[in-house]
Amino acid sequence: MTATVVARSRDELAAARTQLRGRLAVVMTMGALHEGHAQLVRAARAQADAVVVTIFLNPLQFAAGEDLDRYPKTFETDLAICTREGVDLVFAPTPDVIYPNGEPDVRVAAGRLGDRLEGEHRPGHFDGVLTVVAKLLHLTAPDLAYFGEKDAQQLALISQMVRDLDFPVDVVAVPTVREEGGLALSSRNTYLTDSDRSAARSLNRALQAGVGAAAEGAAGTLAAAAAVLEAEPALSVDYLALVDDDTWEDAGAGTAKGRLLVAARVGTTRLIDNVSVTFAETGGRSTSAPDVG
Ligand code: AMP
């Protein structure tokens, strides 16, 4: 196993970057790595010649009162996972390396989608995400960048930023990795007590109920998912939404492929999850054509 090079400063990153040959992939993380992150690395390794993982807990995307201060930090384990997965380079800067002049005045504006769903509940969050993603893309200069479908709205916004602002990188989506019982892996799952965890499983159960009701159309899908969430009193739901997977507008009769999204708090932990929902050509309406015979 070749040791993974660790860069802490911009100079160390630049020096290590010049040693990497061929197509470079980046996997951006906030640390506390788990099997979901490992899956991103494996997907990256399968398509690229070299892989860089960034580990940076980005203060810009946390609002006051969120979990920045208690976010799990497990750098030694993270590094062992990166080495095991054959990562060539880890870039693990501190905030003063990324923001040497303090929080930047000029930021990427996430636009309309940035204000909806997660953005409505976490104002400014996606501006903070896109700003750091833009900076890390400049600093690592990859050919490919891998992001998880677990954070579907983030993935959509990063893809849009890359398109709208002509970043020379291909964004690759990686399916959500789940534990047995369906709970999506997340660094925040370490906050969950046993009873929280059993309530948290209702998130995926709700999404699956929605998928199962797709034949009843958008309204039926939402109703089936909502019924599962309502039956779990330990969940405090921020939103349950069904959007068109291409436009991110609310799904309707014309939607062929939707995305069902949920965000909820359980105990002190806020969790998000989503699934893709395929509708029949009618937009999932089970009504048949009028009989004109
Ligand atoms: P984070 O460290 O939580 O910011 O996540 C870093 C990257 O890993 C993001 O692209 C996430 O979407 C992705 N990711 C996190 N959890 C999962 C998961 N359970 N399955 C797939 N990708 C994930």
Side-chain angles (χ1 to χ4, degrees), residues 73-126:
K73 293 174 193 70
T74 59
F75 184 73
E76 291 311 319
T77 317
D78 294 350
L79 189 55
I81 291 171
C82 287
T83 302
R84 183 193 76 201
E85 296 298 333
V87 171
D88 299 274
L89 172 61
V90 165
F91 180 43
T94 48
D96 58 304
V97 169
I98 296 298
Y99 305 117
N101 304 311
E103 293 201 346
D105 218 19
V106 175
R107 303 181 187 197
V108 178
R112 276 172 303 155
L113 178 53
D115 291 333
R116 294 172 46 213
L117 301 164
E118 276 302 278
E120 195 180 327
H121 292 269
R122 304 185 68 186
H125 169 67
F126 285 119

Side-chain angles (χ1 to χ4, degrees), residues 23-27 44-45 47-53 142-146:
R23 275 160 71 78
L24 178 68
V26 67
V27 174
R45 279 204 63 187
Q47 287 174 311
D49 301 301
V51 177
V52 54
V53 168
D143 302 285
L144 302 152
Y146 289 72

